[in-house]
C-alpha cells in the first residue's frame, strides 16, 4: 500500500511552453502533498506544500506564478511549470502525507523535465 | 531553523568493505524525526529508516545499521560488507514535529562501490 505515482516520468519541451506534472496517491487519500525539486547532483529542495481544497504554500524564493500547484482532489495534485525555460530543467518529486494516524509521507518516482 | 549536513560528498569503497555515511543535524524542535533515503541512478527515493527524537536506540537491518547520538546531533549510517548494488546517493533528512511534515534534506553522499 501507500503508492504514489507521477506522470509523466520524463518530459522534454520547448522553451516557452507549459508543462503539467501529475502526482497521484493510488491507494490512499492525501490531504497534503509536497513538491520537491532536485537539480543535477544536488539535494532535494521543498518547493511548496499542497493542501487539498486550498491554496498551496510556497517556500521562499519559489515563484507561485511560475509553478502553479493545484490539489483538486484527495488523490491528485498537479504542478504546472508555466512558460518553461532551460533553467527550469530539473527533477521534480512529489510526496504525499499518509492517512491520519500514519506518521509518514510517501514519495513518487519523480519527473525529469528538460526544457530545450 | 532546521539544517542537515552531510559533509561527505562522495565516497568510494571496494566491495565488501564497510562504510559509514555521516549526518549532522541542527534543529530547535524538541520533537523531530530523522530519515535516511537511498536514491539509485533511476532517481526514485527509497525509504531506509525513520527515527524519532525520543528513540536513541541504534538499529540494525541486515547489512545496514544506524547510530543516533542526540548529544552530538548525529545520525550516522553504516553499510557492512558493501555491495555494488549499494552504489547510490544517500540522503539524510529531518522533519519537525511529525514525520509527515515537509522534509529538509542534506546535500547527499554519493557512494560508489567498486567491484
Amino acid at each position: 500500500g501507500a503508492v504514489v505515482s507521477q506522470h509523466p516520468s520524463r518530459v522534454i519541451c520547448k522553451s516557452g511552453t507549459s508543462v503539467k506534472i501529475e502526482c497521484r496517491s493510488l491507494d490512499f487519500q492525501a490531504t497534503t502533498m509536497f513538491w520537491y525539486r532536485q537539480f543535477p547532483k544536488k539535494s532535494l529542495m521543498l518547493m511548496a506544500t499542497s493542501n487539498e481544497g486550498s491554496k498551496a504554500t510556497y517556500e521562499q524564493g519559489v515563484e507561485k506564478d511560475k509553478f502553479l500547484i493545484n490539489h483538486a482532489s484527495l488523490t491528485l495534485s498537479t504542478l504546472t511549470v508555466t512558460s518553461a525555460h532551460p533553467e527550469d530543467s530539473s527533477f521534480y518529486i512529489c510526496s504525499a502525507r499518509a492517512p491520519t494516524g500514519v506518521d509518514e509521507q510517501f514519495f513518487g518516482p519523480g519527473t525529469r523535465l528538460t526544457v530545450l | 531553523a532546521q539544517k542537515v549536513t552531510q559533509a561527505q560528498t562522495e565516497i568510494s569503497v571496494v566491495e565488501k568493505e564497510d562504510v559509514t555515511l555521516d549526518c549532522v543535524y541542527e534543529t530547535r524542535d524538541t520533537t523531530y524525526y530523522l530519515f535516511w533515503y537511498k536514491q539509485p541512478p533511476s532517481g526514485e527515493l527509497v525509504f531506509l529508516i525513520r527515527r524519532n527524537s525520543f528513540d536513541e536506540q541504534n538499529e540494525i537491518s541486515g547489512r545496514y545499521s544506524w547510530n543516533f547520538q542526540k548529544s552530538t546531533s548525529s545520525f550516522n549510517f553504516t553499510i557492512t560488507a558493501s555491495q555494488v548494488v549499494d552504489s547510490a546517493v544517500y540522503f539524510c533528512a529531518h522533519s519537525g514535529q511529525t514525520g509527515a511534515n515537509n522534509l529538509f534534506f542534506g546535500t547527499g553522499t554519493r557512494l560508489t562501490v567498486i567491484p
Side-chain angles (χ1 to χ4, degrees):
Chain A
V3 177
V4 176
S5 70
Q6 278 184 246
H7 178 80
S9 57
R10 287 178 179 272
V11 56
I12 300 173
C13 69
K14 293 182 178 180
S15 188
T17 60
S18 294
V19 176
K20 180 185 283 188
I21 302 170
E22 294 184 348
C23 177
R24 293 182 184 273
S25 55
L26 297 185
D27 50 4
F28 67 99
Q29 293 183 330
T31 54
T32 301
M33 292 183 174
F34 303 97
W35 287 96
Y36 296 84
R37 179 176 184 177
Q38 185 180 28
F39 290 103
K41 297 189 178 182
K42 297 292 184 183
S43 187
L44 284 82
M45 300 297 293
L46 179 68
M47 298 175 66
T49 301
S50 168
N51 294 299
E52 187 269 335
S54 63
K55 291 183 179 180
T57 303
Y58 290 81
E59 294 299 301
Q60 192 173 9
V62 178
E63 299 176 59
K64 60 181 180 181
D65 295 329
K66 172 77 170 175
F67 299 100
L68 300 178
I69 292 173
N70 186 298
H71 194 154
S73 78
L74 287 171
T75 59
L76 173 64
S77 176
T78 60
L79 168 66
T80 301
V81 183
T82 61
S83 187
H85 288 93
E87 58 265 30
D88 298 324
S89 298
S90 193
F91 192 56
Y92 293 88
I93 304 176
C94 73
S95 70
R97 179 178 287 175
T100 303
V102 181
D103 194 17
E104 198 168 340
Q105 57 181 285
F106 301 95
F107 283 86
T111 296
R112 191 165 301 282
L113 170 63
T114 302
V115 185
L116 302 177
Chain B
Q2 293 92 344
K3 184 179 179 181
V4 177
T5 301
Q6 293 180 256
Q8 305 148 307
T9 53
E10 296 192 30
I11 299 176
S12 292
V13 297
V14 176
E15 200 170 21
K16 297 184 182 178
E17 285 184 347
D18 299 346
V19 59
T20 295
L21 310 181
D22 297 333
C23 173
V24 175
Y25 64 93
E26 294 177 29
T27 183
R28 292 179 182 171
D29 294 320
T30 52
T31 301
Y32 53 88
Y33 287 79
L34 299 167
F35 301 78
W36 276 96
Y37 287 89
K38 174 182 180 180
Q39 187 178 42
S42 55
E44 82 277 14
L45 283 175
V46 178
F47 169 83
L48 297 178
I49 189 172
R50 179 186 64 184
R51 170 70 72 225
N52 76 50
S53 52
F54 294 109
D55 183 2
E56 286 194 71
Q57 282 192 336
N58 292 331
E59 182 157 339
I60 298 175
S61 176
R63 297 184 297 109
Y64 296 167
S65 62
W66 292 269
N67 185 338
F68 178 27
Q69 296 280 346
K70 212 169 176 178
S71 60
T72 57
S73 297
S74 65
F75 186 42
N76 297 337
F77 171 34
T78 297
I79 302 175
T80 305
S82 60
Q83 300 176 0
V84 173
V85 292
D86 295 328
S87 297
V89 180
Y90 290 86
F91 290 99
C92 180
H94 169 284
S95 177
Q97 298 177 344
T98 76
N101 279 358
N102 51 287
L103 294 168
F104 292 91
F105 286 85
T107 50
T109 298
R110 181 175 299 278
L111 173 66
T112 302
V113 181
I114 304 165

